[in-house]
Amino acid sequence: MTDVEIEITAELVRDLLQDQHPDLAELPIREVAGGWDNQMWRLGDELAARMPRTQRAPDVQRRERRWLPVLAPRLPLPVPRPVRTGEPSARFPRPWTVMTWVRGEPLDHSAISRGDHAADELAHFLRALHAEAPADAPISTDRGGHPGEHTGGFDHFFHAVDLGDTADEVRAVWNDAVAAPGWEGPPLWVHGDLHPANVVVEDGTLAGVVDFGDMFAGDPAWDLAAAWVVLPEGAAARFFDVYARADEATIRRARGLAAMKCLFLMLMGLNGDRGLPGGKPTWGPAGRAALDRVTSGLV
């Protein structure tokens, strides 16, 4: 999943800063665990260097640099903001970005204890984000469509993990999403990748949203799946009451997409337990707990 020919170290990050942004070069640098397309390095308390380590990562960063300054001012939760651009060089042949740091602990390493508060925060955040996107907004090639367009992906994840006696319930949720009418409104701004590693928690509630590299214009159901994937048991109904823009068909699509996201999290957790590249051990328990919420409905 990653390109291993470039070893990214604290020394390399400091050298790149010294060459291109010398006023930041003396900040304390420490690696942040996790990441997928990008490796993160804290720069002091307020900033982070986002260093691409996959072939697609530069495009991910360009998307964030282009659109986060447009979206961030209207969002009610903290999100990363690009503040400096690093240009490709002989030392590191890809563009990189210095972003603001969003305080909090990733949800896959923490927990939400104030469920009602978190439901309100997420609903207000998505109401603000889900505005009509401009014509030149990015379009996703691997997500964003009706669930019926993603049955192959669902089937792959479904057969890759052990669901035990819940398999029929999970399949029924997916089939219901596939049968639901599609999104008929204009393409809306969608984060596209809301799951426990991409939200942060502080004081028991949602404190920020990170990693907008998969943002696109499309069906908001892809974000509304977070009602089950992110929020604790019993919070989904309150979330949809506060969000107040999702009709029955959208909720059905969102619930099915939540099931698919949970299966993906479980598979990545399994890969992590096996020590496979790209595996995330903390994602498995988060995905399993979220899937239990999906099969229990909105309660």
Side-chain angles (χ1 to χ4, degrees):
M1 301 302 296
T2 60
D3 302 323
V4 297
E5 74 274 10
I6 303 173
E7 182 183 5
I8 304 172
T9 65
E11 291 73 21
L12 173 61
V13 174
R14 191 175 301 281
D15 287 347
L16 294 173
L17 289 170
Q18 186 64 58
D19 289 343
Q20 299 189 36
H21 301 286
D23 58 313
L24 305 180
E26 298 307 315
L27 291 172
I29 299 176
R30 58 191 186 278
E31 186 176 2
V32 180
W36 192 281
D37 291 301
N38 299 282
Q39 189 172 355
M40 296 281 287
W41 295 82
R42 289 286 300 274
L43 305 179
D45 294 328
E46 304 298 329
L47 301 173
R50 195 159 162 82
M51 310 298 297
R53 59 181 180 183
T54 67
Q55 291 291 343
R56 81 177 201 121
D59 286 338
V60 167
Q61 291 203 15
R62 280 189 281 269
R63 183 179 300 183
E64 291 180 320
R65 289 199 297 266
R66 167 68 178 89
W67 292 108
L68 275 174
V70 175
L71 297 175
R74 69 166 183 250
L75 299 177
L77 285 173
V79 300
R81 298 183 184 221
V83 295
R84 304 284 182 91
T85 298
E87 299 297 335
S89 66
R91 293 293 309 277
F92 192 75
R94 293 175 180 158
W96 46 281
T97 310
V98 176
M99 314 279 286
T100 57
W101 178 255
V102 178
R103 293 180 51 185
E105 188 76 8
L107 181 56
D108 61 322
H109 290 274
S110 184
I112 291 173
S113 58
R114 300 163 60 197
D116 286 351
H117 189 276
D120 293 353
E121 291 290 296
L122 181 62
H124 293 315
F125 177 84
L126 290 180
R127 280 180 63 93
L129 175 62
H130 291 167
E132 185 171 349
D136 58 341
I139 303 297
S140 178
T141 58
D142 61 354
R143 65 189 77 192
H146 187 277
E149 300 173 21
H150 298 273
T151 295
F154 175 85
D155 287 343
H156 170 72
F157 301 139
F158 183 84
H159 294 296
V161 298
D162 181 10
L163 295 174
D165 58 7
T166 65
D168 289 345
E169 293 177 84
V170 175
R171 173 64 72 179
V173 169
W174 179 255
N175 288 344
D176 184 62
V178 170
W183 174 249
E184 296 181 351
L188 304 184
W189 275 116
V190 177
H191 178 282
D193 200 24
L194 289 176
H195 62 70
N198 286 342
V199 299
V200 296
V201 174
E202 196 169 46
D203 297 328
T205 191
L206 199 63
V209 177
V210 300
D211 198 347
F212 282 72
D214 287 308
M215 73 177 90
F216 61 84
D219 181 357
W222 284 80
D223 280 352
L224 300 178
W228 296 273
V229 178
V230 168
L231 296 176
E233 185 72 28
R238 181 184 180 101
F239 164 81
F240 282 109
D241 284 345
V242 176
Y243 181 79
R245 294 179 182 171
D247 60 17
E248 178 186 0
T250 300
I251 293 174
R252 290 167 61 193
R253 295 194 309 276
R255 190 178 173 209
L257 292 168
M260 182 168 68
K261 289 170 180 277
C262 292
L263 297 178
F264 170 74
L265 292 172
M266 292 169 65
L267 178 57
M268 291 300 100
L270 184 61
N271 288 347
D273 294 340
R274 294 169 173 168
L276 297 177
K280 307 288 184 181
T282 59
W283 290 17
R288 176 75 259 186
L291 192 62
D292 290 342
R293 298 191 290 269
V294 168
T295 56
S296 69
L298 285 179
V299 294

